[in-house]
Amino acid sequence: MSHPHDHVTEQLSEYLDGELPVSARESVDAHLSGCAECRRLIEDLGSIVAAATTLPDTLPDRDLWAGVAQRIGATRATVTPFTPPVRRRFSFSVLQLAAAGILLMLMSGGLVYLARPHDDRGASGVTRAEPSAAAGDALTVSVANAQYDGAVADLERRLKAGRGELDPETVRVLEQNLGAIDTAIEQCRRALEADPANAYLTNHLVSARQRKIALLRRATALTTGS
Amino acid sequence: MRTALTLLQVDTPLTARPATDRMDDVALAAAGDVRAFERLYRAHLPRVHGLVRRMTAGRDADELTQDVFVRLWQKLSSFRGESAFSTWLHRLAANVVIERFRTDTTRRQRHVDGEGIFESLPGARSSGDLAMDLETALEKLPDGAREIFVLHDVEGYKHQEIADLLEISAGTSKAQLHRARMILRRHLRPASA
Ligand SMILES: [Zn+2]
């Protein structure tokens, strides 16, 4: 007995999830062998389910810890205080930091996505970006490499020269953040070596590099007061 | 000044979720150690935020994420280690979101109207990356269908677990999941639906 099309359509999610009893499963199998529309539907549903398992974790676009700490009644001392340089010539630095921070958030596009190991994606049969478009992105990145390296080297040189003017706590937070960004850049770079056409990784690399430049700029602005 | 510090600390390395729970931090935080609790917060924030953001389609996601960690702080001492800490935390996070859905009348209304709103929207332009398009399409799902899709297909919950969380039958959970997938397909593959 062949089931009517609409009835089978309603069962395809359970079929896909292996939750149909054997008899119902066999009916669906029989219908599928003769219905191209249902075969296409189940293929689509399968790719949606596969894509759902690859969605990356996310971070908020602002740090939420201070608010949590306040609400759980944590004492001020447990929230690492930001200590701006005390000398008068740095009196604009906090404003500068805030302005640069807004720029930084705009550049990193709000949400910072954390990629799961990219093998995950490869195995899921998820549709990738067109290779030609992705290759174009990769090209842009490699062309930008020289400029990027130059800008970073220049900023690092200026930061090193002015480092003594920075508060030790600021230096600590700065180094922690630079280390985190460098790790992200390195992981991205390595993942891209294995999968050069991955547009997602390319975008992430570009955004991590932009964050590094922005952070270095903010830090050097602190040392020069300009 | 707090703002400046916050901006300095937004960066986190590109990492997979923590492979193991740091049981020592769980115990320390349960005993009132705020620094240990902050480490737990940092380790679990990406996963919790992802869950909350997807379940809520981004609305109030930051505020609800904070609610989750405040609740975690209050409830930590009741964690008995019967399941993995991360599993326990994610269930707690899902509960915080679900409670909000229940008390928010605007959202309740959307439960009812949601699909109509969705259907009036033009199909989004495809980015060529199904996972990215799926993120966008998820935001347009009616709340009820989206909750179940996120819990089942993204987070890997079973229908019976979802039924217990949402106080519905497993059959309703299955039906809503199918509905969610079908709406998503209509959005992601407008030509074939
Ligand atoms: Zn059919």
Side-chain angles (χ1 to χ4, degrees), chain A residues 58 111, chain B residues 48-65 67-68 93-102 104 107 110-111 135-148 150-151 155:
Chain A
T58 64
L111 287 168
Chain B
V48 168
H49 186 261
L51 169 67
V52 172
R53 190 177 65 83
R54 288 196 183 98
M55 281 184 78
T56 61
R59 285 162 303 171
D60 307 328
D62 288 0
E63 184 203 332
L64 276 164
T65 299
D67 289 350
V68 168
N95 263 316
V96 168
V97 176
I98 290 162
E99 277 172 31
R100 171 66 71 94
F101 277 124
R102 287 206 184 104
D104 188 329
R107 283 179 189 277
R110 207 175 166 273
H111 255 271
E135 291 274 20
T136 312
L138 264 180
E139 294 178 9
K140 311 267 169 49
L141 276 184
D143 287 336
R146 190 182 52 251
E147 268 175 328
I148 290 169
V150 170
L151 289 173
E155 299 291 330

Side-chain angles (χ1 to χ4, degrees), chain B residues 39-125:
Chain B
R39 286 194 293 275
L40 284 180
Y41 161 85
R42 302 236 172 255
H44 292 275
L45 176 65
R47 181 90 194 278
V48 168
H49 186 261
L51 169 67
V52 172
R53 190 177 65 83
R54 288 196 183 98
M55 281 184 78
T56 61
R59 285 162 303 171
D60 307 328
D62 288 0
E63 184 203 332
L64 276 164
T65 299
Q66 286 181 321
D67 289 350
V68 168
F69 284 100
V70 171
R71 178 83 61 90
L72 173 63
W73 174 255
Q74 292 161 347
K75 293 236 168 173
L76 253 183
S77 58
S78 69
F79 174 63
R80 298 271 170 261
E82 285 147 358
S83 56
F85 175 72
S86 59
T87 307
W88 183 78
L89 169 58
H90 299 140
R91 178 172 286 265
L92 182 144
N95 263 316
V96 168
V97 176
I98 290 162
E99 277 172 31
R100 171 66 71 94
F101 277 124
R102 287 206 184 104
T103 55
D104 188 329
T105 50
T106 320
R107 283 179 189 277
R108 248 204 324 268
Q109 190 55 39
R110 207 175 166 273
H111 255 271
V112 181
D113 297 345
E115 194 165 354
I117 293 167
F118 182 91
E119 279 166 342
S120 68
L121 290 168
R125 205 181 310 148

Side-chain angles (χ1 to χ4, degrees), chain A residues 55-74:
Chain A
L55 296 182
D57 294 339
T58 64
L59 281 179
D61 51 16
R62 64 190 172 98
D63 190 56
L64 305 174
W65 172 248
V68 173
Q70 193 182 17
R71 283 172 61 190
I72 65 174

Side-chain angles (χ1 to χ4, degrees), chain A residues 5 8-9 31 35 37-38:
Chain A
H5 173 79
V8 170
T9 302
H31 178 84
C35 180
E37 199 182 328
C38 278

Side-chain angles (χ1 to χ4, degrees), chain B residues 14-54:
Chain B
L14 186 74
T15 50
R17 65 189 48 163
T20 54
D21 293 322
R22 300 166 64 166
M23 285 312 297
D24 44 349
D25 278 345
V26 174
L28 286 169
D33 183 331
V34 176
R35 284 190 188 281
F37 184 65
E38 184 178 354
R39 286 194 293 275
L40 284 180
Y41 161 85
R42 302 236 172 255
H44 292 275
L45 176 65
R47 181 90 194 278
V48 168
H49 186 261
L51 169 67
V52 172
R53 190 177 65 83
R54 288 196 183 98

